[in-house]
Amino acid sequence: AQSVTQLDSHVSVSEGTPVLLRCNYSSSYSPSLFWYVQHPNKGLQLLLKYTSAATLVKGINGFEAEFKKSETSFHLTKPSAHMSDAAEYFCVVSDFSGNTPLVFGKGTRLSVIA
Amino acid sequence: EAGVVQSPRYKIIEKKQPVAFWCNPISGHNTLYWYLQNLGQGPELLIRYENEEAVDDSQLPKDRFSAERLKGVDSTLKIQPAELGDSAVYLCASSLGGVEQFFGPGTRLTVL
């Protein structure tokens, strides 16, 4: 069975400060891991994905995440928050082959304060 | 390239009424998914199609929910009859080869 735990339901940062959204996963298989972002009334957009290549994954809009097998973590970071980053972020796990469904975390709402 | 298209974007119905949602995946994507997203939660898979075959419908409540993808392209998800607890966002996604999924904007259903 696979699962993800997003450790914070809400994170608030000031514009220009670093962002850290935490995610721990559990998987019986070699996992594929993803971060998706959902802006209000818009579809889910893929930020980045890990599929067993480099453990440090760079995504769109300056986001990156590091796969740490020993810690079963896949935290999302960004050096400097933008107002436009305010959204809901989902950590997602699947198996490497894509044959198991995507399993979503409950989401972390990121607020960015001017 | 057009993304995943869903309609309607919003639907308000009274309980016990039927409702249908439509999805057109990205051209050429053989795999299509329907997800349910409750308020404050992450999406949960309802059904997955490979071409026209439903290969995973284990989470679809078959007493009231049905889905079809007759020609292996667009798909319809139906609820009959709708219940108050069905109020949620219904998301469609598609993929080519399975790993990366592309999501539509969703249909927000309100059951009164």
Side-chain angles (χ1 to χ4, degrees), chain B:
Chain B
E1 177 184 292
V4 176
V5 179
Q6 290 189 248
S7 69
R9 292 293 311 278
Y10 304 91
K11 188 73 177 179
I12 301 173
I13 61 171
E14 294 189 347
K15 63 181 180 182
K16 300 185 181 179
Q17 295 299 306
V19 64
F21 315 123
W22 178 78
C23 172
N24 194 30
I26 293 172
S27 178
H29 281 196
N30 58 317
T31 309
L32 183 146
Y33 313 77
W34 283 103
Y35 288 85
L36 165 68
Q37 185 176 18
N38 286 305
L39 187 65
Q41 303 290 320
E44 299 175 2
L45 182 70
L46 288 172
I47 189 168
R48 173 168 68 106
Y49 282 93
E50 296 288 346
N51 301 304
E52 65 274 11
E53 181 183 359
V55 296
D56 183 357
D57 63 356
S58 56
Q59 300 304 310
L60 189 73
K62 298 180 184 64
D63 56 337
R64 297 184 300 108
F65 286 66
S66 64
E68 60 183 17
R69 192 185 186 201
L70 294 176
K71 296 182 179 179
V73 181
D74 58 343
S75 175
T76 302
L77 178 68
K78 297 178 182 178
I79 308 174
Q80 183 170 9
E83 297 178 352
L84 294 176
D86 297 330
S87 295
V89 176
Y90 293 82
L91 295 166
C92 180
S94 69
S95 71
L96 180 63
V99 177
E100 182 173 345
Q101 298 181 22
F102 296 82
F103 285 80
T107 296
R108 182 177 298 276
L109 173 67
T110 302
V111 182
L112 303 175

Side-chain angles (χ1 to χ4, degrees), chain A residues 36 38 41 46 49 90 102 104, chain B residues 9 37 42-43 100-101 104:
Chain A
Y36 280 84
Q38 188 175 38
N41 299 314
L46 181 66
K49 62 181 177 182
F90 293 95
L102 295 184
F104 284 75
Chain B
R9 292 293 311 278
Q37 185 176 18
E100 182 173 345
Q101 298 181 22

